[in-house]
Tab-separated table of all heavy atoms in Angstrom:
chain	number	residue	atom	x	y	z
A	28	LEU	N	-3.498	99.754	289.753
A	28	LEU	CA	-2.271	99.953	290.529
A	28	LEU	C	-1.847	98.567	290.990
A	28	LEU	O	-2.608	97.667	291.280
A	28	LEU	CB	-2.359	100.910	291.639
A	28	LEU	CG	-2.739	102.320	291.291
A	28	LEU	CD1	-3.009	103.201	292.392
A	28	LEU	CD2	-1.669	102.921	290.314
A	36	SER	N	-2.810	93.650	307.126
A	36	SER	CA	-4.273	93.976	307.125
A	36	SER	C	-4.836	93.835	305.733
A	36	SER	O	-6.030	93.807	305.576
A	36	SER	CB	-4.534	95.309	307.786
A	36	SER	OG	-4.009	96.351	306.946
A	37	ASN	N	-4.089	93.873	304.711
A	37	ASN	CA	-4.429	93.855	303.303
A	37	ASN	C	-3.508	93.116	302.535
A	37	ASN	O	-2.733	93.704	301.715
A	37	ASN	CB	-4.621	95.290	302.837
A	37	ASN	CG	-5.396	95.282	301.412
A	37	ASN	OD1	-5.853	94.175	301.005
A	37	ASN	ND2	-5.255	96.356	300.737
A	38	PRO	N	-3.412	91.778	302.731
A	38	PRO	CA	-2.363	90.933	301.955
A	38	PRO	C	-2.635	90.987	300.416
A	38	PRO	O	-3.761	91.241	299.993
A	38	PRO	CB	-2.548	89.565	302.568
A	38	PRO	CG	-3.879	89.545	303.061
A	38	PRO	CD	-4.277	90.887	303.538
A	39	PRO	N	-1.673	90.635	299.667
A	39	PRO	CA	-1.776	90.672	298.185
A	39	PRO	C	-2.792	89.776	297.761
A	39	PRO	O	-3.420	89.969	296.721
A	39	PRO	CB	-0.414	90.271	297.649
A	39	PRO	CG	0.624	90.658	298.727
A	39	PRO	CD	-0.273	90.513	300.060
A	40	GLN	N	-3.087	88.674	298.405
A	40	GLN	CA	-3.986	87.592	298.028
A	40	GLN	C	-5.402	88.203	297.918
A	40	GLN	O	-6.258	87.636	297.303
A	40	GLN	CB	-3.925	86.342	298.900
A	40	GLN	CG	-2.649	85.640	298.761
A	40	GLN	CD	-1.475	86.194	299.579
A	40	GLN	OE1	-1.620	87.209	300.260
A	40	GLN	NE2	-0.293	85.609	299.509
A	41	SER	N	-5.629	89.300	298.695
A	41	SER	CA	-7.024	89.845	298.706
A	41	SER	C	-7.123	91.046	297.697
A	41	SER	O	-8.219	91.639	297.672
A	41	SER	CB	-7.251	90.350	300.091
A	41	SER	OG	-6.568	91.441	300.396
A	42	CYS	N	-6.171	91.274	296.911
A	42	CYS	CA	-6.291	92.371	295.844
A	42	CYS	C	-7.390	92.008	294.906
A	42	CYS	O	-7.498	90.910	294.452
A	42	CYS	CB	-4.889	92.419	295.145
A	42	CYS	SG	-5.002	93.714	293.883
A	43	GLN	N	-8.222	92.961	294.605
A	43	GLN	CA	-9.361	92.954	293.672
A	43	GLN	C	-8.989	93.683	292.360
A	43	GLN	O	-8.791	94.852	292.502
A	43	GLN	CB	-10.566	93.506	294.273
A	43	GLN	CG	-11.104	92.626	295.414
A	43	GLN	CD	-11.708	91.331	294.919
A	43	GLN	OE1	-12.158	91.156	293.938
A	43	GLN	NE2	-11.447	90.275	295.778
A	48	TYR	N	-9.371	91.750	284.204
A	48	TYR	CA	-7.951	91.682	284.606
A	48	TYR	C	-7.866	90.577	285.683
A	48	TYR	O	-8.851	90.239	286.458
A	48	TYR	CB	-7.389	92.965	285.239
A	48	TYR	CG	-7.376	94.102	284.218
A	48	TYR	CD1	-8.472	94.788	283.814
A	48	TYR	CD2	-6.145	94.338	283.542
A	48	TYR	CE1	-8.377	95.786	282.846
A	48	TYR	CE2	-6.041	95.345	282.622
A	48	TYR	CZ	-7.190	96.103	282.204
A	48	TYR	OH	-7.085	96.988	281.275
A	50	THR	N	-5.215	88.958	288.984
A	50	THR	CA	-4.091	89.187	289.841
A	50	THR	C	-2.943	88.243	289.620
A	50	THR	O	-3.171	87.004	289.548
A	50	THR	CB	-4.503	89.083	291.359
A	50	THR	OG1	-5.677	89.956	291.623
A	50	THR	CG2	-3.474	89.441	292.342
A	52	LEU	N	0.655	87.373	291.393
A	52	LEU	CA	1.348	87.643	292.598
A	52	LEU	C	2.862	87.619	292.461
A	52	LEU	O	3.637	87.995	293.392
A	52	LEU	CB	0.892	86.740	293.671
A	52	LEU	CG	-0.611	86.858	294.072
A	52	LEU	CD1	-0.924	85.792	295.077
A	52	LEU	CD2	-0.887	88.274	294.583
A	53	SER	N	3.367	87.130	291.447
A	53	SER	CA	4.868	86.928	291.289
A	53	SER	C	5.355	87.595	290.041
A	53	SER	O	4.710	87.376	288.953
A	53	SER	CB	5.184	85.427	291.319
A	53	SER	OG	6.500	85.259	291.249
A	58	CYS	N	-2.002	93.722	288.446
A	58	CYS	CA	-3.226	93.343	287.702
A	58	CYS	C	-2.785	93.267	286.206
A	58	CYS	O	-2.194	94.221	285.730
A	58	CYS	CB	-4.272	94.255	287.836
A	58	CYS	SG	-4.978	94.237	289.598
A	60	ASP	N	-4.084	92.078	282.082
A	60	ASP	CA	-5.236	91.925	281.167
A	60	ASP	C	-5.433	90.400	280.932
A	60	ASP	O	-4.414	89.698	280.689
A	60	ASP	CB	-4.988	92.660	279.907
A	60	ASP	CG	-6.130	92.505	278.874
A	60	ASP	OD1	-7.315	92.682	279.262
A	60	ASP	OD2	-5.978	92.088	277.772
A	62	ASP	N	-6.711	87.649	278.295
A	62	ASP	CA	-7.013	87.601	276.914
A	62	ASP	C	-8.343	86.794	276.677
A	62	ASP	O	-8.200	85.554	276.661
A	62	ASP	CB	-5.841	87.073	276.178
A	62	ASP	CG	-5.995	87.082	274.634
A	62	ASP	OD1	-7.133	87.353	274.171
A	62	ASP	OD2	-5.059	86.707	273.964
A	66	THR	N	-10.643	82.102	274.981
A	66	THR	CA	-11.805	81.269	275.250
A	66	THR	C	-12.729	81.175	274.090
A	66	THR	O	-13.788	80.586	274.111
A	66	THR	CB	-12.588	81.773	276.466
A	66	THR	OG1	-13.106	83.019	276.173
A	66	THR	CG2	-11.718	81.735	277.680
A	68	PRO	N	-14.807	83.481	272.296
A	68	PRO	CA	-16.170	83.903	272.549
A	68	PRO	C	-16.862	84.257	271.226
A	68	PRO	O	-18.140	84.420	271.218
A	68	PRO	CB	-15.961	85.032	273.449
A	68	PRO	CG	-14.671	85.660	273.063
A	68	PRO	CD	-13.859	84.411	272.676
A	70	PHE	N	-18.001	83.806	267.100
A	70	PHE	CA	-18.366	82.748	266.116
A	70	PHE	C	-17.212	82.132	265.441
A	70	PHE	O	-16.352	82.931	264.854
A	70	PHE	CB	-19.384	83.248	265.110
A	70	PHE	CG	-20.101	82.161	264.409
A	70	PHE	CD1	-21.278	81.555	264.965
A	70	PHE	CD2	-19.773	81.679	263.143
A	70	PHE	CE1	-22.014	80.504	264.364
A	70	PHE	CE2	-20.392	80.733	262.487
A	70	PHE	CZ	-21.620	80.139	263.091
A	71	PRO	N	-16.960	80.804	265.601
A	71	PRO	CA	-15.606	80.339	265.221
A	71	PRO	C	-15.246	80.427	263.777
A	71	PRO	O	-14.105	80.536	263.452
A	71	PRO	CB	-15.727	78.865	265.679
A	71	PRO	CG	-17.091	78.494	265.799
A	71	PRO	CD	-17.827	79.854	266.126
A	74	GLY	N	-16.403	84.814	262.654
A	74	GLY	CA	-16.158	85.869	263.538
A	74	GLY	C	-14.652	86.018	263.923
A	74	GLY	O	-13.876	85.100	263.826
A	75	VAL	N	-14.246	87.283	264.144
A	75	VAL	CA	-12.907	87.584	264.572
A	75	VAL	C	-12.921	88.193	265.876
A	75	VAL	O	-13.599	89.207	266.127
A	75	VAL	CB	-12.212	88.510	263.593
A	75	VAL	CG1	-10.803	88.821	263.982
A	75	VAL	CG2	-12.121	87.907	262.226
A	77	THR	N	-10.916	90.364	268.835
A	77	THR	CA	-9.829	91.300	269.128
A	77	THR	C	-9.788	91.499	270.667
A	77	THR	O	-10.741	92.039	271.205
A	77	THR	CB	-9.974	92.578	268.423
A	77	THR	OG1	-10.140	92.321	267.065
A	77	THR	CG2	-8.808	93.522	268.673
A	81	GLY	N	-9.001	94.959	279.230
A	81	GLY	CA	-10.174	94.643	280.059
A	81	GLY	C	-11.395	94.036	279.429
A	81	GLY	O	-12.445	93.805	280.102
A	86	GLN	N	-16.212	90.688	265.815
A	86	GLN	CA	-16.642	91.266	264.575
A	86	GLN	C	-16.825	90.163	263.531
A	86	GLN	O	-16.080	89.196	263.524
A	86	GLN	CB	-15.616	92.337	264.046
A	86	GLN	CG	-15.433	93.545	264.897
A	86	GLN	CD	-14.380	94.417	264.370
A	86	GLN	OE1	-13.203	94.027	264.169
A	86	GLN	NE2	-14.760	95.742	264.278
A	88	LEU	N	-16.575	88.599	259.771
A	88	LEU	CA	-15.684	88.809	258.551
A	88	LEU	C	-16.540	89.535	257.582
A	88	LEU	O	-17.714	89.487	257.494
A	88	LEU	CB	-15.332	87.409	257.994
A	88	LEU	CG	-14.360	86.618	258.966
A	88	LEU	CD1	-14.139	85.198	258.383
A	88	LEU	CD2	-13.056	87.336	259.078
A	90	GLY	N	-18.620	90.434	254.456
A	90	GLY	CA	-19.675	89.542	253.786
A	90	GLY	C	-20.614	89.017	254.707
A	90	GLY	O	-21.518	88.230	254.307
A	94	ASP	N	-23.013	90.597	265.121
A	94	ASP	CA	-22.067	91.083	266.054
A	94	ASP	C	-20.827	90.158	266.241
A	94	ASP	O	-19.925	90.402	266.961
A	94	ASP	CB	-22.648	91.373	267.468
A	94	ASP	CG	-23.295	90.119	268.106
A	94	ASP	OD1	-23.075	89.005	267.695
A	94	ASP	OD2	-23.886	90.326	269.227
A	96	MET	N	-20.633	87.370	267.860
A	96	MET	CA	-20.746	86.672	269.098
A	96	MET	C	-21.459	85.294	268.994
A	96	MET	O	-22.337	85.188	268.159
A	96	MET	CB	-21.458	87.516	270.169
A	96	MET	CG	-20.734	88.779	270.499
A	96	MET	SD	-19.303	88.524	271.595
A	96	MET	CE	-20.050	87.849	273.045
Side-chain angles (χ1 to χ4, degrees):
L28 298 174
S36 63
N37 188 12
Q40 292 82 0
S41 68
C42 179
Q43 294 289 325
Y48 292 83
T50 304
L52 297 176
S53 181
C58 295
D60 180 52
D62 186 350
T66 63
F70 196 81
V75 175
T77 303
Q86 295 176 308
L88 292 174
D94 63 6
M96 294 286 296

